[in-house]
Amino acid sequence: MADAMDARWLIQLSYFVAAVLFILGLKRMSSPVTARGGILWAGAGMLVATLVTFLYPGMGNYPLMIVAIAIGGVLAWWTGKRVAMTDMPQMIALYNGMGGGAAAAIAAVELFGDTDHGLSFAILAVLGGLIGAVSFSGSLVAFAKLQGIMKRTLRFPGQQAVNLVLLLVTVVVAGIVVAQQGHIGLAVLFFVLALALGVTMTLPIGGADMPVVISLYNALTGLAVGFEGFVLQNAAMIIAGTVVGAAGTLLTRLMAKAMNRSLANVLFSGFGDTAAAGGAVEGTMKPIDAQDAGVMMAFANKVLIVPGYGMAVAQAQHKVWELAQLLIERGVDVKFAIHPVAGRMPGHMNVLLAEAGVPYDLIYDENEINPEFPTADVALIIGANDVVNPVARTDPSSPIYGMPILNADKAKNVIVIKRGQGAGFSGIENALFFLDQTRMLYGDGQAMAAELIHAIKQL
Amino acid sequence: MIDGFIALYIFMLAAFTGYEVIARVPVILHTPLMSGSNFVHGIVLVGAMVALGRADTTLETVIGFIGVVLAAGNAVGGYVVTERMLEMFKSSKEKR
């Protein structure tokens, strides 16, 4: 008896320490200077909490538990170490989905079990299960889309009505599950509906909006974990889950704001549907070869490089930095201009450029760099599209009208490295490509950067 | 026991904490921070372990087992990915 009391005391103390370490860790992660230490603090908290949970009174199934931790841990360790930096967004989506699935599994065990919960606990269990299951299947769809397993964006007329009906039915079934605790058939139906809801909610959302969606599911998983924490009376889960829920919600809003859209707009309006409304663009696209483009940059005074998702796809960040270094050696003033939503996550481009070794002080965000475009001799656009489309400033009928963009069109010359002539992820024609001072350099980002390097070295 | 209004207070304070921690973050760190918070909700592992540990029926055991596998994946994967990202930030700064 005394041992059980001691164990409880030790568990509570450890969970308290873990909660403190999580918050301090996140706080440290929010400044570049201390960020690296932050993950270590949070990791220490996780280790303490996990180890002490083995002492939980009244538990069995220890061999199974260790096997399960080993399977999940080793698989995640292996994939996490192996994945290329460019594929980080979908890995975060995947791990996040797993967390949501785990929260739903906890809810399922509680609901399938014969222990009769109080009303408020049953409601929280069901709510956490619903959110966790939606986050699980939704994140998997997001992963499949970003990984290229699922290429098409599925849309059909009345889709939102279908989703709404599905949501309402799920909520009604959830209510019945709360009222009729221990009815396994109903609970199974509830989870099937919730999983289906996550899939149908995510399917119509285009790839360009995925960062916002992943961030939203991250916040939702946090919330689900917090709710299941209440059900299990686990303070560490309540605090960590709720902190992530709140932080994730704020992060989601910041991201949506950077795209000049509301969250509802991202979730409920098929972006591509309205693209046809955008006006036609006058003019032609004028190609250039790497030799000429290289000469143009080598003799420029100032070159601004605007990377986008295309750079990530082509894994071109190292070549791009090599090119930039070459230009810097020749006395060219080179700066990187990063749009907040370039890539698939805010800061995605910063991570890639940091990986290639680009120092911070060459990287500028939209507000800092926009006044410099008119004095730039060359704006080099690598795989960016919508974030440099001037119709966002000029054409009120365009779906991206009002979105803050990088004013690359104000540069004296614009060179666009692009794989083909197609429109961007949003399906909108880019007026920048048709301007008089714009030249198109068609090809893979990495190959073209290599050719530019070659061209400049020959001078 | 964490019950009723105590629970509500914890919820409210934790929510404000999360909001404040993120409120003044530079854009550069958005992705690592999203990844870091993704790791933190890996604490669901603790709950999944308890659910599996208390399971009596086969069905509960199977679901609990899946839950622990998924949660362990969330925690470990979230850590590895975040650590790798932040590692690069360090090296690029120190080269300078």
Side-chain angles (χ1 to χ4, degrees):
Chain A
M1 197 64 206
D3 284 354
M5 282 305 291
D6 285 349
R8 280 215 178 95
W9 188 83
L10 182 65
I11 289 168
Q12 293 303 339
L13 178 70
S14 306
Y15 284 175
F16 178 77
V17 171
V20 172
L21 285 172
F22 285 150
I23 293 170
L24 288 177
L26 279 176
K27 182 75 207 160
R28 293 181 83 82
M29 269 185 255
S30 60
S31 154
V33 185
T34 52
R36 273 191 78 253
I39 185 66
L40 291 178
W41 289 48
M46 189 70 75
L47 196 64
V48 168
T50 307
L51 287 179
V52 84
T53 302
F54 281 104
L55 303 176
Y56 226 87
M59 289 210 315
N61 288 334
Y62 287 110
L64 272 180
M65 207 178 288
I66 291 168
V67 170
I69 293 175
I71 293 175
V74 168
L75 278 180
W77 182 273
W78 189 68
T79 53
K81 282 283 180 198
R82 246 172 47 101
V83 65
M85 274 300 148
T86 43
D87 293 339
M88 283 298 173
Q90 52 262 49
M91 291 320 284
I92 296 178
L94 184 62
Y95 299 139
N96 175 55
M98 293 173 92
I106 295 172
V109 171
E110 293 300 312
L111 292 173
F112 291 165
D114 44 15
T115 40
D116 203 11
H117 298 287
L119 184 64
S120 59
F121 280 81
I123 291 175
L124 284 172
V126 168
L127 214 52
L130 171 63
I131 297 172
V134 167
S135 171
F136 174 66
S137 57
S139 296
L140 290 188
V141 172
F143 168 78
K145 283 194 170 198
L146 290 177
Q147 189 71 14
I149 300 169
M150 194 184 285
K151 290 227 159 62
R152 289 260 149 242
T153 302
L154 185 76
R155 295 200 188 102
F156 52 85
Q159 192 164 23
Q160 281 157 42
V162 172
N163 283 351
L164 188 66
V165 170
L166 188 56
L167 174 66
L168 289 177
V169 171
T170 312
V171 170
V172 169
V173 173
I176 302 174
V177 170
V178 171
Q180 303 256 328
Q181 283 181 50
H183 193 305
I184 291 188
L186 268 174
V188 170
L189 176 66
F190 162 69
F191 281 108
V192 169
L193 284 171
L195 290 171
L197 183 64
V199 173
T200 59
M201 256 177 68
T202 320
L203 277 179
I205 300 171
D209 286 335
M210 275 306 150
V212 182
V213 174
I214 294 173
S215 177
L216 177 68
Y217 285 141
N218 186 38
L220 286 181
T221 302
L223 206 58
V225 171
F227 285 160
E228 297 309 327
F230 282 114
V231 174
L232 295 174
Q233 296 279 293
N234 186 316
M237 278 171 73
I238 299 175
I239 294 173
T242 311
V243 165
V244 172
T249 306
L250 179 60
L251 206 52
T252 311
R253 280 184 47 210
L254 288 177
M255 290 160 77
K257 208 171 116 194
M259 297 165 83
N260 194 37
R261 304 178 55 199
S262 71
L263 192 54
N265 189 256
V266 170
L267 288 178
F268 303 120
S269 82
F271 203 41
D273 293 351
T274 49
V281 182
E282 302 277 311
T284 53
M285 296 197 216
K286 295 162 282 290
I288 190 172
D289 63 29
Q291 289 290 336
D292 293 347
V295 171
M296 209 186 221
M297 285 193 285
F299 293 101
N301 288 319
K302 189 190 225 174
V303 174
L304 300 181
I305 300 178
V306 182
Y309 188 58
M311 183 184 81
V313 172
Q315 303 269 1
Q317 61 270 26
H318 296 278
K319 283 287 169 204
V320 169
W321 173 226
E322 202 183 325
L323 172 66
Q325 281 173 303
L326 206 56
L327 291 171
I328 292 168
E329 279 166 28
R330 293 184 66 95
V332 182
D333 181 13
V334 179
K335 286 173 182 167
F336 288 86
I338 312 282
H339 190 275
V341 294
R344 286 292 172 272
M345 287 204 258
H348 193 186
M349 291 300 123
N350 302 78
V351 171
L352 293 181
L353 291 176
E355 186 203 12
V358 179
Y360 272 127
D361 50 1
L362 294 187
I363 301 178
Y364 295 83
D365 71 22
E366 170 209 332
N367 292 331
E368 296 169 322
I369 202 76
N370 261 343
E372 297 203 29
F373 276 103
T375 62
D377 299 294
V378 178
L380 177 65
I381 319 286
I382 302 173
N385 195 336
D386 295 328
V387 297
V388 290
N389 192 343
V391 299
R393 277 198 326 263
T394 56
D395 180 4
S397 74
S398 170
I400 59 168
Y401 181 72
M403 180 172 106
I405 58 159
L406 291 165
N407 297 329
D409 56 312
K410 305 226 163 126
K412 290 169 200 155
N413 295 285
V414 181
I415 298 171
V416 180
I417 300 182
K418 197 170 177 304
R419 266 174 305 177
Q421 301 199 343
F425 228 102
S426 63
I428 304 164
E429 282 291 1
N430 194 333
L432 175 72
F433 301 165
F434 298 88
L435 293 176
D436 286 339
Q437 77 267 35
T438 304
R439 294 290 177 274
M440 307 298 290
L441 185 53
Y442 291 116
D444 171 75
Q446 191 173 342
M448 284 306 121
E451 284 195 27
L452 287 172
I453 292 167
H454 184 67
I456 294 170
K457 276 187 176 161
Q458 282 189 330
L459 291 175
Chain B
M1 284 286 103
I2 309 161
D3 214 349
F5 274 99
I6 302 291
L8 209 56
Y9 278 119
I10 296 179
F11 186 76
M12 184 266 294
L13 291 172
F16 276 113
T17 306
Y19 197 90
E20 279 305 312
V21 163
I22 299 283
R24 283 172 299 275
V25 176
V27 178
I28 317 176
L29 283 172
H30 276 180
T31 293
L33 200 62
M34 185 155 123
S35 181
S37 59
N38 179 33
F39 164 67
V40 167
H41 68 52
I43 188 67
V44 71
L45 173 60
V46 165
M49 285 168 70
V50 173
L52 175 60
R54 286 182 184 160
D56 337 292
T57 66
T58 315
L59 180 65
E60 285 175 39
T61 310
V62 169
I63 298 171
F65 184 81
I66 296 171
V68 174
V69 171
L70 291 175
N74 181 184
V76 174
Y79 184 86
V80 171
V81 165
T82 311
E83 210 248 342
R84 275 185 63 192
M85 259 187 235
L86 293 173
E87 188 67 37
M88 296 175 330
F89 275 84
K90 181 200 173 198
S91 65
S92 79
K93 272 184 73 114
E94 294 192 345
K95 253 183 233 159
R96 194 66 183 169

